[in-house]
Amino acid sequence: MRHLLSKLIAPAVFALAAAVCLGAALLAVNWIESHTRQSVRAALTDRGIPWANVRADGMLMHLSGTAPDEAARFHALAAAGSVVDSTNLIDDIEVAAPTPLDGPRFSVELLRNDTGISVIGLIPRKSRTEDLAAELARIAGRLPVTDMMDSADDAAPRGWDAALDFGLIALDRLKRSKISITANRVAVTAISDSPQDKARLERELRAAAPKGLDLALDISAPRPTIAPFTLRFLMDEAGARFDACAADTEGAAALILAAAREAGAPDDATCTLGLGAPSADWGTAAAGGIAALAELGGGSLTFSDTDVTLVAAAGTQNALFDRASAALKADLPEAFTLHTVLPAPVKTDGAAPGPAEFVATLSPEGLVQMRGRVTDQMVRDATESYARSRFGGEHVHSALRLDPALPEGWPMRVLAGLEALSQLRNGSAVVQPDFVQINGLTEDETARARVAQILSDRLGDAQNFGLQITYRKPPETPGAALADPAACVEQIGAVLAENKITFDPGSATIDGASLRVVDEIADILRGCPRARMEIAGYTDSQGRDEMNLRLSQARANAVVDALMARRILVGNLTAKGYGEDNPVAGNDTEEGREANRRIEFHLIEDADPDAPQAEDTEAQATDTGDETTSEAEGEAEGEDETGTEPQDDIGAETGPETGVDDTARDAEDPADAGEEDQIDGQD
């Protein structure tokens, strides 16, 4: 028995050992399979593949599930292959059957600028293709339409026709724009002429958009170019305030306004953002200057580009003045030059002109009286000629006396005073050797800033001037007193026939002499606010067709913008440039060309004068900002073969469709002021 047991012990031990080894192996395999399966699942989860299933079979790894497409299947295999060798992967993945193809996505992109219209996209073949082409041609006028559209036979999606019609409305109103159209969304990117024009266009387009359409508007208003870049800040018995404030950035404006409020300016003071700042340190320099003036306790601070003039109030202590001036000079950036003035008290009532005083008064009726002293006969002739060009020859009365002992620079001071006075509705200009005072009334909120800009530029460095300009909101005309629209057009024609409108050379900027004409037209339009009118611009045949078209459009726009600045509702006014079309005289003589250079007010007869102003009234063109040309461009636009400088004014004709013919009035240089009648040119 013992012998038998001894023989069985050895096999039992070997069997037990084998069982233990087999169990350990099975446990090891199960652990490896579980760990590998978890690693593969983690890799699939990390890569966003929730649909794949993982099953381990020894060293083999089975992937199953339904992939949405072949690319998703390959993505799952690659994720699993990052954990196990690809030779150990078994692909049991199925790919979902492809869904039927959707119909084509209809969309159109419209691009419009000064060179024409481009259209690209895919439209339904039955989407009034011929009507669309005709409408694009109408909007483009004489400019080309580049058609890169394709079409498909599929039915138009719901909302497509309404979205397309609205896109064409937007294209018609926005002269520089990109309009992207789909069945349920229209995206508009455009450039307007001014912040006011931007607000008007946004309001009108939102009102015209079809119900349920997703409308995205991105209309920008380019900043104006300000030359010279001007800031003028005053502190006197009336308080701290700006006569003019220009800033190049939002940050600079905030810095300037913070310094102004610290000096006592009201919280609602604003600065105009514009281009043309002479230095990146403009905001820092202006804020430092305002702080220096606040330390003095009174006076004026004027920045004209990099020239800075600090004028203390009369009676300021010398020690305080010297300390503040020295500190400001040290703090100003290197590009700026400081001029300081500690003046004696000045008297500018104009009651008794002394030997060195010039006084001009402008009555509400537009009559100008000049008295005082000028240096010689040539200067007197130039001054009177300049005044006639600014205010109208029949409106100027002169009682000037000659005095050769007047200080140097006197003629320029006199002309600067007259130019500043021409910006007002009525008022006076008093010119003295050390001071210029402008008093008056205006119905244009921007007039004070323009006058400050003119005087700071024309008078030069270290010059002192004062402004007492009151803004009056234009009167409202009661509904009971509304005039017949045709009568309004006739009244405008009478104004334009008597007074001429001119523009600065090579630009669409209305000359200061013509601002009173705009005032009179604004008064008439207040009596017929519901009359729809077209302000049409025309040129002569000199120069290229496109340039003439652009110039006439820009100047018609300028008339609308000037009326808008006078609080005229311009939603019923349309600016349209016709270039050299519809001449009223031959272009072979200067007289004929002068007659063809004109602005006309056309009454739109099919409008109901009693209907309320529609939100979708056709808007005026918005090209003024870009169409204002440089002097060289102005010459290119209108120069004839003899090199004659273009004449920058607008002409007239009489009758129901009225205008005004132009004679050049550019007498900026005193030496040229008496030669205005000899200027010859064209648009």
PDB file of all heavy atoms in Angstrom, residues 479-508:
ATOM      1  N   GLY A 479     -48.094 121.412 -40.604  1.00  0.00           N
ATOM      2  CA  GLY A 479     -48.688 120.708 -41.738  1.00  0.00           C
ATOM      3  C   GLY A 479     -49.672 121.556 -42.515  1.00  0.00           C
ATOM      4  O   GLY A 479     -49.817 121.416 -43.715  1.00  0.00           O
ATOM      5  N   ALA A 480     -50.359 122.479 -41.836  1.00  0.00           N
ATOM      6  CA  ALA A 480     -51.372 123.274 -42.526  1.00  0.00           C
ATOM      7  C   ALA A 480     -50.768 124.223 -43.540  1.00  0.00           C
ATOM      8  O   ALA A 480     -51.437 124.686 -44.445  1.00  0.00           O
ATOM      9  CB  ALA A 480     -52.181 124.062 -41.498  1.00  0.00           C
ATOM     10  N   ALA A 481     -49.463 124.496 -43.376  1.00  0.00           N
ATOM     11  CA  ALA A 481     -48.831 125.475 -44.256  1.00  0.00           C
ATOM     12  C   ALA A 481     -48.037 124.820 -45.377  1.00  0.00           C
ATOM     13  O   ALA A 481     -47.250 125.481 -46.027  1.00  0.00           O
ATOM     14  CB  ALA A 481     -47.917 126.387 -43.429  1.00  0.00           C
ATOM     15  N   LEU A 482     -48.229 123.518 -45.587  1.00  0.00           N
ATOM     16  CA  LEU A 482     -47.442 122.826 -46.590  1.00  0.00           C
ATOM     17  C   LEU A 482     -47.769 123.357 -47.982  1.00  0.00           C
ATOM     18  O   LEU A 482     -48.917 123.565 -48.333  1.00  0.00           O
ATOM     19  CB  LEU A 482     -47.713 121.325 -46.525  1.00  0.00           C
ATOM     20  CG  LEU A 482     -47.353 120.636 -45.204  1.00  0.00           C
ATOM     21  CD1 LEU A 482     -47.590 119.141 -45.315  1.00  0.00           C
ATOM     22  CD2 LEU A 482     -45.908 120.935 -44.825  1.00  0.00           C
ATOM     23  N   ALA A 483     -46.698 123.529 -48.766  1.00  0.00           N
ATOM     24  CA  ALA A 483     -46.849 124.073 -50.113  1.00  0.00           C
ATOM     25  C   ALA A 483     -47.021 122.940 -51.122  1.00  0.00           C
ATOM     26  O   ALA A 483     -46.696 121.788 -50.859  1.00  0.00           O
ATOM     27  CB  ALA A 483     -45.629 124.922 -50.472  1.00  0.00           C
ATOM     28  N   ASP A 484     -47.538 123.298 -52.290  1.00  0.00           N
ATOM     29  CA  ASP A 484     -47.652 122.345 -53.377  1.00  0.00           C
ATOM     30  C   ASP A 484     -46.253 121.960 -53.848  1.00  0.00           C
ATOM     31  O   ASP A 484     -45.384 122.815 -54.006  1.00  0.00           O
ATOM     32  CB  ASP A 484     -48.433 122.982 -54.528  1.00  0.00           C
ATOM     33  CG  ASP A 484     -48.521 122.045 -55.712  1.00  0.00           C
ATOM     34  OD1 ASP A 484     -49.225 121.025 -55.616  1.00  0.00           O
ATOM     35  OD2 ASP A 484     -47.858 122.343 -56.727  1.00  0.00           O
ATOM     36  N   PRO A 485     -45.976 120.645 -54.060  1.00  0.00           N
ATOM     37  CA  PRO A 485     -44.629 120.236 -54.457  1.00  0.00           C
ATOM     38  C   PRO A 485     -44.117 120.952 -55.700  1.00  0.00           C
ATOM     39  O   PRO A 485     -42.945 121.328 -55.763  1.00  0.00           O
ATOM     40  CB  PRO A 485     -44.789 118.728 -54.694  1.00  0.00           C
ATOM     41  CG  PRO A 485     -45.913 118.333 -53.787  1.00  0.00           C
ATOM     42  CD  PRO A 485     -46.855 119.495 -53.809  1.00  0.00           C
ATOM     43  N   ALA A 486     -44.983 121.151 -56.695  1.00  0.00           N
ATOM     44  CA  ALA A 486     -44.537 121.852 -57.902  1.00  0.00           C
ATOM     45  C   ALA A 486     -44.134 123.285 -57.584  1.00  0.00           C
ATOM     46  O   ALA A 486     -43.162 123.815 -58.143  1.00  0.00           O
ATOM     47  CB  ALA A 486     -45.648 121.830 -58.951  1.00  0.00           C
ATOM     48  N   ALA A 487     -44.867 123.916 -56.647  1.00  0.00           N
ATOM     49  CA  ALA A 487     -44.496 125.277 -56.246  1.00  0.00           C
ATOM     50  C   ALA A 487     -43.160 125.289 -55.533  1.00  0.00           C
ATOM     51  O   ALA A 487     -42.370 126.236 -55.686  1.00  0.00           O
ATOM     52  CB  ALA A 487     -45.589 125.859 -55.345  1.00  0.00           C
ATOM     53  N   CYS A 488     -42.874 124.235 -54.763  1.00  0.00           N
ATOM     54  CA  CYS A 488     -41.572 124.147 -54.092  1.00  0.00           C
ATOM     55  C   CYS A 488     -40.438 124.093 -55.114  1.00  0.00           C
ATOM     56  O   CYS A 488     -39.409 124.758 -54.955  1.00  0.00           O
ATOM     57  CB  CYS A 488     -41.529 122.920 -53.188  1.00  0.00           C
ATOM     58  SG  CYS A 488     -42.616 123.010 -51.763  1.00  0.00           S
ATOM     59  N   VAL A 489     -40.622 123.297 -56.154  1.00  0.00           N
ATOM     60  CA  VAL A 489     -39.588 123.193 -57.190  1.00  0.00           C
ATOM     61  C   VAL A 489     -39.383 124.540 -57.865  1.00  0.00           C
ATOM     62  O   VAL A 489     -38.253 124.950 -58.154  1.00  0.00           O
ATOM     63  CB  VAL A 489     -39.973 122.111 -58.204  1.00  0.00           C
ATOM     64  CG1 VAL A 489     -39.020 122.116 -59.389  1.00  0.00           C
ATOM     65  CG2 VAL A 489     -39.980 120.741 -57.538  1.00  0.00           C
ATOM     66  N   GLU A 490     -40.472 125.258 -58.126  1.00  0.00           N
ATOM     67  CA  GLU A 490     -40.345 126.570 -58.755  1.00  0.00           C
ATOM     68  C   GLU A 490     -39.607 127.550 -57.838  1.00  0.00           C
ATOM     69  O   GLU A 490     -38.783 128.345 -58.296  1.00  0.00           O
ATOM     70  CB  GLU A 490     -41.726 127.103 -59.107  1.00  0.00           C
ATOM     71  CG  GLU A 490     -42.424 126.325 -60.223  1.00  0.00           C
ATOM     72  CD  GLU A 490     -43.792 126.908 -60.556  1.00  0.00           C
ATOM     73  OE1 GLU A 490     -44.155 127.928 -59.935  1.00  0.00           O
ATOM     74  OE2 GLU A 490     -44.478 126.339 -61.424  1.00  0.00           O
ATOM     75  N   GLN A 491     -39.894 127.503 -56.541  1.00  0.00           N
ATOM     76  CA  GLN A 491     -39.195 128.386 -55.611  1.00  0.00           C
ATOM     77  C   GLN A 491     -37.707 128.058 -55.547  1.00  0.00           C
ATOM     78  O   GLN A 491     -36.865 128.962 -55.502  1.00  0.00           O
ATOM     79  CB  GLN A 491     -39.812 128.246 -54.220  1.00  0.00           C
ATOM     80  CG  GLN A 491     -41.223 128.788 -54.102  1.00  0.00           C
ATOM     81  CD  GLN A 491     -41.789 128.559 -52.720  1.00  0.00           C
ATOM     82  OE1 GLN A 491     -41.144 128.854 -51.716  1.00  0.00           O
ATOM     83  NE2 GLN A 491     -42.990 128.008 -52.652  1.00  0.00           N
ATOM     84  N   ILE A 492     -37.379 126.777 -55.554  1.00  0.00           N
ATOM     85  CA  ILE A 492     -35.966 126.391 -55.565  1.00  0.00           C
ATOM     86  C   ILE A 492     -35.294 126.903 -56.832  1.00  0.00           C
ATOM     87  O   ILE A 492     -34.166 127.391 -56.806  1.00  0.00           O
ATOM     88  CB  ILE A 492     -35.837 124.860 -55.450  1.00  0.00           C
ATOM     89  CG1 ILE A 492     -36.305 124.400 -54.069  1.00  0.00           C
ATOM     90  CG2 ILE A 492     -34.398 124.416 -55.684  1.00  0.00           C
ATOM     91  CD1 ILE A 492     -36.391 122.894 -53.921  1.00  0.00           C
ATOM     92  N   GLY A 493     -36.020 126.816 -57.955  1.00  0.00           N
ATOM     93  CA  GLY A 493     -35.458 127.332 -59.208  1.00  0.00           C
ATOM     94  C   GLY A 493     -35.182 128.813 -59.145  1.00  0.00           C
ATOM     95  O   GLY A 493     -34.167 129.294 -59.658  1.00  0.00           O
ATOM     96  N   ALA A 494     -36.068 129.562 -58.496  1.00  0.00           N
ATOM     97  CA  ALA A 494     -35.851 131.006 -58.378  1.00  0.00           C
ATOM     98  C   ALA A 494     -34.618 131.309 -57.544  1.00  0.00           C
ATOM     99  O   ALA A 494     -33.836 132.222 -57.857  1.00  0.00           O
ATOM    100  CB  ALA A 494     -37.096 131.656 -57.767  1.00  0.00           C
ATOM    101  N   VAL A 495     -34.418 130.541 -56.463  1.00  0.00           N
ATOM    102  CA  VAL A 495     -33.231 130.746 -55.622  1.00  0.00           C
ATOM    103  C   VAL A 495     -31.963 130.450 -56.401  1.00  0.00           C
ATOM    104  O   VAL A 495     -30.997 131.222 -56.384  1.00  0.00           O
ATOM    105  CB  VAL A 495     -33.319 129.857 -54.364  1.00  0.00           C
ATOM    106  CG1 VAL A 495     -31.995 129.858 -53.601  1.00  0.00           C
ATOM    107  CG2 VAL A 495     -34.440 130.325 -53.461  1.00  0.00           C
ATOM    108  N   LEU A 496     -31.961 129.327 -57.121  1.00  0.00           N
ATOM    109  CA  LEU A 496     -30.766 128.932 -57.855  1.00  0.00           C
ATOM    110  C   LEU A 496     -30.494 129.834 -59.045  1.00  0.00           C
ATOM    111  O   LEU A 496     -29.350 129.999 -59.459  1.00  0.00           O
ATOM    112  CB  LEU A 496     -30.913 127.476 -58.317  1.00  0.00           C
ATOM    113  CG  LEU A 496     -30.977 126.428 -57.197  1.00  0.00           C
ATOM    114  CD1 LEU A 496     -31.208 125.036 -57.774  1.00  0.00           C
ATOM    115  CD2 LEU A 496     -29.708 126.449 -56.371  1.00  0.00           C
ATOM    116  N   ALA A 497     -31.524 130.408 -59.616  1.00  0.00           N
ATOM    117  CA  ALA A 497     -31.310 131.321 -60.726  1.00  0.00           C
ATOM    118  C   ALA A 497     -30.663 132.623 -60.260  1.00  0.00           C
ATOM    119  O   ALA A 497     -29.916 133.260 -60.996  1.00  0.00           O
ATOM    120  CB  ALA A 497     -32.635 131.615 -61.425  1.00  0.00           C
ATOM    121  N   GLU A 498     -30.934 133.012 -59.018  1.00  0.00           N
ATOM    122  CA  GLU A 498     -30.394 134.265 -58.491  1.00  0.00           C
ATOM    123  C   GLU A 498     -29.014 134.088 -57.882  1.00  0.00           C
ATOM    124  O   GLU A 498     -28.160 134.974 -57.970  1.00  0.00           O
ATOM    125  CB  GLU A 498     -31.349 134.824 -57.441  1.00  0.00           C
ATOM    126  CG  GLU A 498     -30.902 136.168 -56.870  1.00  0.00           C
ATOM    127  CD  GLU A 498     -31.890 136.706 -55.866  1.00  0.00           C
ATOM    128  OE1 GLU A 498     -32.954 136.062 -55.679  1.00  0.00           O
ATOM    129  OE2 GLU A 498     -31.594 137.747 -55.268  1.00  0.00           O
ATOM    130  N   ASN A 499     -28.776 132.954 -57.254  1.00  0.00           N
ATOM    131  CA  ASN A 499     -27.500 132.710 -56.577  1.00  0.00           C
ATOM    132  C   ASN A 499     -26.879 131.427 -57.112  1.00  0.00           C
ATOM    133  O   ASN A 499     -27.592 130.470 -57.405  1.00  0.00           O
ATOM    134  CB  ASN A 499     -27.717 132.572 -55.061  1.00  0.00           C
ATOM    135  CG  ASN A 499     -28.323 133.821 -54.465  1.00  0.00           C
ATOM    136  OD1 ASN A 499     -27.654 134.809 -54.290  1.00  0.00           O
ATOM    137  ND2 ASN A 499     -29.619 133.762 -54.160  1.00  0.00           N
ATOM    138  N   LYS A 500     -25.578 131.423 -57.183  1.00  0.00           N
ATOM    139  CA  LYS A 500     -24.875 130.294 -57.774  1.00  0.00           C
ATOM    140  C   LYS A 500     -24.280 129.387 -56.697  1.00  0.00           C
ATOM    141  O   LYS A 500     -23.923 129.838 -55.618  1.00  0.00           O
ATOM    142  CB  LYS A 500     -23.768 130.792 -58.695  1.00  0.00           C
ATOM    143  CG  LYS A 500     -24.298 131.620 -59.856  1.00  0.00           C
ATOM    144  CD  LYS A 500     -23.170 132.134 -60.723  1.00  0.00           C
ATOM    145  CE  LYS A 500     -23.720 132.964 -61.878  1.00  0.00           C
ATOM    146  NZ  LYS A 500     -22.649 133.510 -62.726  1.00  0.00           N
ATOM    147  N   ILE A 501     -24.173 128.093 -57.025  1.00  0.00           N
ATOM    148  CA  ILE A 501     -23.558 127.110 -56.142  1.00  0.00           C
ATOM    149  C   ILE A 501     -22.216 126.710 -56.738  1.00  0.00           C
ATOM    150  O   ILE A 501     -22.133 126.401 -57.917  1.00  0.00           O
ATOM    151  CB  ILE A 501     -24.451 125.868 -55.971  1.00  0.00           C
ATOM    152  CG1 ILE A 501     -25.754 126.251 -55.280  1.00  0.00           C
ATOM    153  CG2 ILE A 501     -23.737 124.780 -55.182  1.00  0.00           C
ATOM    154  CD1 ILE A 501     -26.722 125.099 -55.126  1.00  0.00           C
ATOM    155  N   THR A 502     -21.194 126.715 -55.934  1.00  0.00           N
ATOM    156  CA  THR A 502     -19.865 126.328 -56.404  1.00  0.00           C
ATOM    157  C   THR A 502     -19.298 125.240 -55.513  1.00  0.00           C
ATOM    158  O   THR A 502     -19.753 125.024 -54.396  1.00  0.00           O
ATOM    159  CB  THR A 502     -18.907 127.535 -56.416  1.00  0.00           C
ATOM    160  OG1 THR A 502     -18.771 128.029 -55.075  1.00  0.00           O
ATOM    161  CG2 THR A 502     -19.429 128.631 -57.323  1.00  0.00           C
ATOM    162  N   PHE A 503     -18.275 124.559 -56.024  1.00  0.00           N
ATOM    163  CA  PHE A 503     -17.587 123.511 -55.289  1.00  0.00           C
ATOM    164  C   PHE A 503     -16.105 123.841 -55.200  1.00  0.00           C
ATOM    165  O   PHE A 503     -15.551 124.535 -56.055  1.00  0.00           O
ATOM    166  CB  PHE A 503     -17.765 122.156 -55.980  1.00  0.00           C
ATOM    167  CG  PHE A 503     -19.153 121.590 -55.859  1.00  0.00           C
ATOM    168  CD1 PHE A 503     -20.138 121.932 -56.781  1.00  0.00           C
ATOM    169  CD2 PHE A 503     -19.469 120.743 -54.834  1.00  0.00           C
ATOM    170  CE1 PHE A 503     -21.406 121.412 -56.675  1.00  0.00           C
ATOM    171  CE2 PHE A 503     -20.747 120.217 -54.710  1.00  0.00           C
ATOM    172  CZ  PHE A 503     -21.720 120.553 -55.637  1.00  0.00           C
ATOM    173  N   ASP A 504     -15.466 123.313 -54.167  1.00  0.00           N
ATOM    174  CA  ASP A 504     -14.019 123.466 -54.063  1.00  0.00           C
ATOM    175  C   ASP A 504     -13.350 122.769 -55.238  1.00  0.00           C
ATOM    176  O   ASP A 504     -13.864 121.768 -55.754  1.00  0.00           O
ATOM    177  CB  ASP A 504     -13.512 122.862 -52.753  1.00  0.00           C
ATOM    178  CG  ASP A 504     -13.904 123.699 -51.542  1.00  0.00           C
ATOM    179  OD1 ASP A 504     -14.287 124.867 -51.744  1.00  0.00           O
ATOM    180  OD2 ASP A 504     -13.821 123.185 -50.416  1.00  0.00           O
ATOM    181  N   PRO A 505     -12.194 123.262 -55.662  1.00  0.00           N
ATOM    182  CA  PRO A 505     -11.535 122.691 -56.847  1.00  0.00           C
ATOM    183  C   PRO A 505     -11.274 121.202 -56.704  1.00  0.00           C
ATOM    184  O   PRO A 505     -10.807 120.726 -55.671  1.00  0.00           O
ATOM    185  CB  PRO A 505     -10.215 123.474 -56.919  1.00  0.00           C
ATOM    186  CG  PRO A 505     -10.491 124.754 -56.207  1.00  0.00           C
ATOM    187  CD  PRO A 505     -11.459 124.413 -55.117  1.00  0.00           C
ATOM    188  N   GLY A 506     -11.616 120.452 -57.755  1.00  0.00           N
ATOM    189  CA  GLY A 506     -11.307 119.038 -57.807  1.00  0.00           C
ATOM    190  C   GLY A 506     -12.037 118.185 -56.799  1.00  0.00           C
ATOM    191  O   GLY A 506     -11.578 117.088 -56.482  1.00  0.00           O
ATOM    192  N   SER A 507     -13.167 118.641 -56.255  1.00  0.00           N
ATOM    193  CA  SER A 507     -13.850 117.868 -55.229  1.00  0.00           C
ATOM    194  C   SER A 507     -15.347 118.094 -55.315  1.00  0.00           C
ATOM    195  O   SER A 507     -15.829 118.899 -56.105  1.00  0.00           O
ATOM    196  CB  SER A 507     -13.351 118.267 -53.834  1.00  0.00           C
ATOM    197  OG  SER A 507     -13.952 119.476 -53.417  1.00  0.00           O
ATOM    198  N   ALA A 508     -16.068 117.363 -54.472  1.00  0.00           N
ATOM    199  CA  ALA A 508     -17.511 117.531 -54.366  1.00  0.00           C
ATOM    200  C   ALA A 508     -17.876 118.282 -53.101  1.00  0.00           C
ATOM    201  O   ALA A 508     -19.005 118.179 -52.629  1.00  0.00           O
ATOM    202  CB  ALA A 508     -18.193 116.169 -54.392  1.00  0.00           C
TER     203      ALA A 508
END
